[in-house]
Amino acid sequence: TKEKQQLRMTKLCDPAESELSPFLITLILAVLLAEYLIGIIANGFIMAIHAAEWVQNKAVSTSGRILVFLSVSRIALQSLMMLEITISSTSLSFYSEDAVYYAFKISFIFLNFCSLWFAAWLSFFYFVKIANFSYPLFLKLRWRITGLIPWLLWLSVFISFSHSMFCINICTVYCNNSFPIHSSNSTKKTYLSEINVVGLAFFFNLGIVTPLIMFILTATLLILSLKRHTLHMGSNATGSNDPSMEAHMGAIKAISYFLILYIFNAVALFIYLSNMFDINSLWNNLCQIIMAAYPAGHSILPIQDNPGLRRAWSGFSFD
């Protein structure tokens, strides 16, 4: 309805809610757009390399398949966020329409959840393939993981879509039951709801917790396994510049960086979806910057650490 659209426009652009100067807003938008472009280029490169291998050889490695899914979700997410900022800045009345607004929110939640799940499965796959454990269940999982991954990826898509639809239904009820009142001390609009905000945040972030826990557990166990193996190699090494040991140390650093980036992104997404801060507040914009930096940083690191991708990138840059 027009009343809901006007309320949404008021909430999105009310100057009373803005804590930022025009210069700072412009700077934040410039940083976000730069992060979006870097993320799209880096993920597009990774997707193109593995997709070309997929088409040429009629097959692709399991890790390459996960990276294709992950890159596609991130390119779509970065493009969506860039488009949303552009439309909300240039045509707020169009952006505030119910169909447009909820389409952006559903897509945002869906693509974020897909990205979290795909990254978690990538960490899980590396853990199963690289970690050195002798438990029978772990060995059986290692033997079957290649056949399971395609099913797990599509299952993640289904779970992410179902959860995003569930979340947007709750958000619709939340918005329909919201109404503006004027504060006794100011004209700033306050939005009340019959729904418990804590419960709303719980449903929004339910899709974040499972992949986050899985990523943290698998990455931590993989780091511990590599560290134990590196210490064992160090006690038996004859030279200080053992290439194998350097490779293990590099893998430990890379996984540690991935883990830090993933946790920061999940926390920022949790805060952003929980609506803890005003839309135009500095903290809310900081969450957006972190969420935009994660796909870019998480994609640049594999290009630097993977010799094949690094050579392909060098050739691409040179050409």
Side-chain angles (χ1 to χ4, degrees):
T1 63
K2 287 187 176 181
E3 290 78 8
K4 287 169 58 182
Q5 184 178 350
Q6 290 173 352
L7 291 178
R8 189 176 296 124
M9 291 179 63
T10 302
K11 189 174 181 181
L12 288 169
C13 64
D14 190 351
E17 291 189 355
S18 179
E19 302 175 359
L20 309 179
S21 65
F23 171 77
L24 192 54
I25 292 175
T26 304
L27 179 61
I28 290 173
L29 289 175
V31 171
L32 286 173
L33 290 175
E35 289 176 336
Y36 295 152
L37 291 175
I38 293 172
I40 291 172
I41 293 172
N43 283 286
F45 171 76
I46 294 175
M47 182 192 69
I49 294 297
H50 289 95
E53 176 190 352
W54 201 338
V55 172
Q56 183 177 359
N57 301 328
K58 307 299 181 182
V60 68
S61 64
T62 304
S63 60
R65 185 189 297 266
I66 301 174
L67 285 171
V68 169
F69 274 73
L70 182 58
S71 298
V72 169
S73 68
R74 286 175 172 173
I75 292 171
L77 177 61
Q78 297 285 75
S79 302
L80 175 79
M81 295 171 72
M82 187 165 58
L83 180 63
E84 184 176 12
I85 283 184
T86 303
I87 293 179
S88 62
S89 302
T90 58
S91 181
L92 187 60
S93 59
F94 174 73
Y95 176 74
S96 300
E97 293 180 4
D98 285 350
V100 177
Y101 182 80
Y102 288 126
F104 273 113
K105 294 310 172 186
I106 290 174
S107 302
F108 176 79
I109 296 172
F110 168 68
L111 292 172
N112 261 295
F113 287 173
C114 281
S115 178
L116 290 175
W117 272 109
F118 296 155
W121 288 127
L122 184 64
S123 176
F124 179 76
F125 175 75
Y126 285 148
F127 163 69
V128 172
K129 284 295 185 180
I130 299 175
N132 186 19
F133 295 106
S134 57
Y135 302 107
L137 181 61
F138 180 81
L139 296 176
K140 185 177 181 180
L141 183 60
R142 174 178 290 179
W143 178 66
R144 299 189 59 186
I145 188 63
T146 301
L148 289 174
I149 285 296
W151 295 98
L152 294 174
L153 291 175
W154 286 113
L155 178 63
S156 301
V157 173
F158 174 76
I159 292 174
S160 299
F161 179 76
S162 301
H163 193 78
S164 62
M165 294 301 297
F166 182 66
C167 286
I168 207 65
N169 285 334
I170 295 177
C171 183
T172 304
V173 175
Y174 173 78
C175 293
N176 286 340
N177 286 279
S178 301
F179 56 93
I181 62 171
H182 288 280
S183 171
S184 57
N185 298 325
S186 68
T187 59
K188 179 178 179 180
K189 293 182 183 296
T190 305
Y191 291 82
L192 301 180
S193 173
E194 297 175 1
I195 295 179
N196 189 324
V197 177
V198 176
L200 179 65
F202 171 78
F203 283 113
F204 265 133
N205 294 291
L206 190 62
I208 301 176
V209 175
T210 304
L212 175 63
I213 292 175
M214 185 171 67
F215 190 98
I216 292 175
L217 286 177
T218 54
T220 302
L221 289 173
L222 181 55
I223 291 172
L224 293 175
S225 177
L226 288 172
K227 187 67 175 178
R228 184 181 61 182
H229 187 61
T230 303
L231 293 174
H232 178 72
M233 291 171 59
S235 62
N236 298 327
T238 56
S240 57
N241 295 325
D242 185 3
S244 180
M245 183 178 296
E246 290 181 0
H248 278 74
M249 292 301 298
I252 292 173
K253 290 180 181 178
I255 297 168
S256 300
Y257 293 149
F258 290 155
L259 181 60
I260 293 171
L261 284 172
Y262 192 94
I263 292 175
F264 269 89
N265 174 72
V267 172
L269 181 61
F270 181 91
I271 295 174
Y272 183 78
L273 292 180
S274 299
N275 293 321
M276 295 182 182
F277 304 103
D278 290 336
I279 292 174
N280 297 317
S281 68
L282 179 61
W283 288 106
N284 203 58
N285 283 279
L286 181 61
C287 289
Q288 289 181 301
I289 291 175
I290 294 173
M291 289 187 295
Y294 164 71
H298 202 269
S299 303
I300 291 173
L301 285 174
I303 296 175
Q304 293 179 337
D305 295 330
N306 187 295
L309 290 175
R310 189 167 59 247
R311 285 193 299 269
W313 178 261
S314 300
F316 173 78
S317 301
F318 179 78
D319 293 339

